Amino acid sequence: MDQGTWRGQCLLSPCLRSPQQPDLNWENPAVREDCIDMINWWLDRGLGGFRIDAIMNLKKRIEYGVFPADGPDGLVYIGSWILNQPGIETWLKEIDDKTFRPHNALTVAEADVPPSQLAKYIGPDGYFRMVFDFSYTDIDVPATGEWFKQHHWTVTELREKIFSTEERTQQVGWGARYLENHDQPRSVNKYLPAEAEDRRSGTLLATLFMMLHGTPFIYQGQEIGMSNIPLTSVDQYEDVATHDQYRRAVASGLSPAEALHWMVQRSRDNSRTPMQWDDSANAGFTTAGVTPWFPVNPNYTTVNVAAERADAGSVLHYYRKLIALRRTKGPWREAVVHGTFVPVDTAAVSPDLIVFQRVRARSVLVAINFSAEAHVLPLAESAGAYTPILANVPEAVVSPSPQPPAVSAKDVGPASANAAARLVLPPYAAVVLGKDRVSRETNE
């Protein structure tokens, strides 16, 4: 098997099952005890918990022989041999029972859990406290993972994935949400078109991501809107998976230029460029005259921490406002952190909207416009019932409406005699509104 098909290292990587080293696998009781002792060694010293990488690869189905190709590049997809193998639950429970649970440790697992088994993983007796949500991470590529076979996803598809995951997760436990990590390109490039790749894209995605139910994980550079790096040769990439994907793309019939285009869009090295601290040499990541391990993104002269600290309207300051909603005691904190996730049906308005509520004693309404067109979202109560909390563009306003609501009352609140409010959403707008009173339909 090509090494490029394997991704990452996990906490228990010395214990991964290996046919070449039959004594070094989790089925060996001595190996299990050694790994458990190693975890407890750290926890006994006060470590609060672990982010556990690639844990679902702990158990593998070992196959021998020659297998028919299932891709145009002549290779075989191995995902079905290394993920979610029968019996892995026994091992995960043993780890939790002997390490994490006795220490009351926080665990967040890189585990793509089938929906039907989610309660086993993050429920009251789950193996972990949280698992990352992968439901829309690779929405732009097929299930077999070829970066060069782009899936032309829609906002409707993204919305459905987010809504189903949020509703399912809150029923059984606590979620772990993210947009970027070391295995993904930058989110401003993946989820929005080039025309919106500016402050609007960073703040739009920040609003969506930070207002979901669960714990948000912010990756370095995401908080200032760092973007993909434009490279001109595959030789400039360090990531082994990128080189593997490039070879597969060419083998499938793409020209070298076409293959490189998709590497620029999807390479994991996009998220591994040096952090952009300021506009000095090497973006302040290292001193002038020292060559960093990977090229600095050319836009560091304008996209950097120092510049955004000085700009009250920057992506960085917007993230700080969103974090303050979660951390600072205030009227909306309980709804933002612990509120029930309630989807809002906006099909009658536009397929490019993602709108939902977070409901507690008070509620917040989150409205996201993923399109280059302005949209008007009818609301069920008078304009005075809503308190503007945050918006990424000043043109987004709540105002009286001359027309009755087009969205049903059960979705956004109780209808009333003066139901005459509307929310104007400019292109790529993200808005958070608060409401003191919660209706019976949405108060759970």
Side-chain angles (χ1 to χ4, degrees), residues 283-354:
F285 178 79
T286 188
T287 56
V290 176
T291 302
W293 80 279
F294 198 74
V296 178
N297 194 313
N299 68 6
Y300 78 92
T301 57
T302 55
V303 180
N304 62 71
V305 175
E308 298 204 11
R309 279 177 174 165
D311 178 5
S314 68
V315 177
L316 177 60
H317 279 282
Y318 193 85
Y319 261 101
R320 287 175 172 174
K321 292 176 183 177
L322 285 164
I323 292 171
L325 279 176
R326 286 177 162 268
R327 298 190 63 181
T328 305
K329 186 176 181 180
W332 312 112
R333 182 179 184 273
E334 281 299 307
V336 171
V337 177
H338 299 292
T340 300
F341 181 93
V342 180
V344 173
D345 180 8
T346 55
V349 180
S350 170
D352 293 323
L353 300 183
I354 296 181

Side-chain angles (χ1 to χ4, degrees), residues 93-424:
K93 187 176 189 307
E94 179 181 23
I95 297 172
D96 188 46
D97 287 346
K98 294 183 178 180
T99 62
F100 306 135
R101 194 168 292 273
H103 287 86
N104 193 30
L106 181 145
T107 50
V108 54
E110 185 189 34
D112 194 4
V113 179
S116 61
Q117 298 184 34
L118 190 60
K120 294 182 180 180
Y121 282 78
I122 62 170
D125 299 317
Y127 316 128
F128 308 108
R129 310 298 84 80
M130 293 179 279
V131 296
F132 284 113
D133 174 23
F134 293 100
S135 63
Y136 49 91
T137 299
D138 292 327
I139 194 171
D140 56 331
V141 296
T144 49
E146 294 99 336
W147 298 347
F148 49 94
K149 286 185 179 179
Q150 285 289 296
H151 169 61
H152 299 291
W153 59 277
T154 64
V155 176
T156 297
E157 185 178 354
L158 176 63
R159 179 177 58 250
E160 290 174 351
K161 289 179 179 294
I162 291 174
F163 284 6
S164 62
T165 297
E166 292 295 304
E167 291 186 289
R168 183 168 55 244
T169 302
Q170 69 183 359
Q171 292 174 4
V172 298
W174 193 254
R177 307 297 179 232
Y178 79 99
L179 290 177
E180 297 182 11
N181 66 13
H182 62 286
D183 284 332
Q184 292 290 325
R186 292 293 182 175
S187 56
V188 294
N189 301 95
K190 182 167 70 172
Y191 292 108
L192 289 161
E195 66 190 44
E197 287 171 11
D198 53 19
R199 179 189 174 278
R200 290 174 302 166
S201 58
T203 53
L204 179 152
L205 292 171
T207 308
L208 172 63
F209 154 72
M210 292 287 289
M211 296 301 294
L212 296 175
H213 183 276
T215 299
F217 286 74
I218 304 172
Y219 183 72
Q220 62 175 19
Q222 177 182 334
E223 75 277 23
I224 62 171
M226 283 179 62
S227 59
N228 289 351
I229 182 171
L231 297 180
T232 58
S233 169
V234 71
D235 295 331
Q236 293 175 281
Y237 289 100
E238 296 282 349
D239 174 37
V240 64
T242 299
H243 287 273
D244 177 57
Q245 288 276 350
Y246 178 84
R247 290 193 298 268
R248 293 170 66 186
V250 172
S252 70
L254 271 64
S255 70
E258 290 170 328
L260 178 63
H261 167 77
W262 293 117
M263 300 309 105
V264 171
Q265 297 297 313
R266 205 53 173 71
S267 173
R268 304 190 302 180
D269 277 342
N270 281 309
S271 60
R272 302 174 184 184
T273 57
M275 181 65 185
Q276 295 165 206
W277 294 106
D278 55 41
D279 62 0
S280 66
N282 294 326
F285 178 79
T286 188
T287 56
V290 176
T291 302
W293 80 279
F294 198 74
V296 178
N297 194 313
N299 68 6
Y300 78 92
T301 57
T302 55
V303 180
N304 62 71
V305 175
E308 298 204 11
R309 279 177 174 165
D311 178 5
S314 68
V315 177
L316 177 60
H317 279 282
Y318 193 85
Y319 261 101
R320 287 175 172 174
K321 292 176 183 177
L322 285 164
I323 292 171
L325 279 176
R326 286 177 162 268
R327 298 190 63 181
T328 305
K329 186 176 181 180
W332 312 112
R333 182 179 184 273
E334 281 299 307
V336 171
V337 177
H338 299 292
T340 300
F341 181 93
V342 180
V344 173
D345 180 8
T346 55
V349 180
S350 170
D352 293 323
L353 300 183
I354 296 181
V355 182
F356 57 89
Q357 288 183 314
R358 299 294 308 284
V359 177
R360 195 76 165 178
R362 294 182 172 91
S363 70
V364 295
L365 177 71
V366 182
I368 313 288
N369 180 8
F370 267 84
S371 78
E373 299 180 3
H375 294 289
V376 177
L377 178 67
L379 302 174
E381 295 190 40
S382 65
Y386 297 92
T387 300
I389 298 175
L390 195 60
N392 72 337
V393 292
E395 300 85 10
V397 294
V398 176
S399 62
S401 173
Q403 298 177 345
V407 182
S408 64
K410 68 182 180 62
D411 291 323
V412 296
S416 63
N418 62 346
R422 63 177 184 171
L423 173 61
V424 179

Side-chain angles (χ1 to χ4, degrees), residues 410-439:
K410 68 182 180 62
D411 291 323
V412 296
S416 63
N418 62 346
R422 63 177 184 171
L423 173 61
V424 179
L425 289 168
Y428 306 110
V431 179
V432 182
L433 303 175
K435 191 167 63 172
D436 286 330
R437 184 162 58 88
V438 178
S439 68

Side-chain angles (χ1 to χ4, degrees), residues 1 5-7 54-62 77-85 88:
M1 296 178 184
T5 60
W6 299 90
R7 53 190 295 268
I55 189 64
M56 301 306 282
N57 293 350
L58 185 63
K59 185 177 178 64
K60 298 177 174 65
R61 187 172 84 245
I62 304 302
Y77 179 61
I78 65 169
S80 58
W81 301 345
I82 66 172
L83 294 174
N84 304 330
Q85 297 302 301
I88 193 173

